[in-house]
Amino acid sequence: MKISREDIESARSLSGEMKSEQEQSMFQVKLILDDEANEIHQDYKLLWKCYPKSALSLRKDKFAKRLRTQIEAKPQHKVAWLNTRVKMLLGAAAIVLLGLFFIYNFICKRIL
């Protein structure tokens, strides 16, 4: 379903989000001049009147903050799963393996 600009403007008008008088006036003029926009607005107005009031608060600020943090989140690097503890363990394992390799070569040279 494609949401048109008229849908958005009608919803904003009915919910009271059009704060400025200029914005409200422009929308009213558009409704007078455009029959299709007026029909869409009347449909939304009927739905708005029939829809019961929500008992839950919208918590708009909380959701807006969560969306902003998701949008502004820094992209993760490919090796993000390698935290410092894993890096330390891999480094220690590499040192132990190199030590065992040198000890094994040293013992083999003594035997031969």
Side-chain angles (χ1 to χ4, degrees):
M1 178 179 178
K2 188 174 180 180
I3 300 173
S4 67
R5 183 166 181 87
E6 287 84 14
D7 294 330
I8 295 170
E9 287 177 347
S10 294
R12 289 187 65 224
S13 171
L14 292 169
S15 66
E17 289 184 15
M18 288 188 178
K19 300 293 183 193
S20 69
E21 290 182 21
Q22 179 185 6
E23 196 173 18
Q24 292 171 356
S25 300
M26 292 292 291
F27 181 67
Q28 293 298 326
V29 169
K30 182 177 184 176
L31 291 179
I32 292 170
L33 297 176
D34 189 0
D35 291 334
E36 184 179 344
N38 191 19
E39 287 178 19
I40 291 172
H41 181 69
Q42 292 303 321
D43 291 341
Y44 276 103
K45 191 173 184 179
L46 179 65
L47 286 171
W48 195 263
K49 286 181 180 178
C50 294
Y51 198 80
K53 296 284 183 187
S54 176
L56 299 174
S57 62
L58 292 178
R59 297 182 299 182
K60 182 176 154 183
D61 296 332
K62 178 181 176 184
F63 293 126
K65 182 179 177 184
R66 186 175 72 188
L67 284 174
R68 269 190 236 106
T69 57
Q70 289 176 355
I71 291 170
E72 296 171 355
K74 296 178 183 176
Q76 294 182 353
H77 300 290
K78 292 179 182 178
V79 291
W81 62 273
L82 288 177
N83 60 17
T84 55
R85 185 176 289 168
V86 173
K87 289 178 185 177
M88 294 288 287
L89 288 173
L90 287 175
I95 291 172
V96 169
L97 288 175
L98 283 172
L100 291 174
F101 175 76
F102 287 125
I103 291 173
Y104 178 74
N105 282 338
F106 180 75
I107 292 174
C108 286
K109 285 181 183 179
R110 292 265 185 189
I111 295 176
L112 295 176

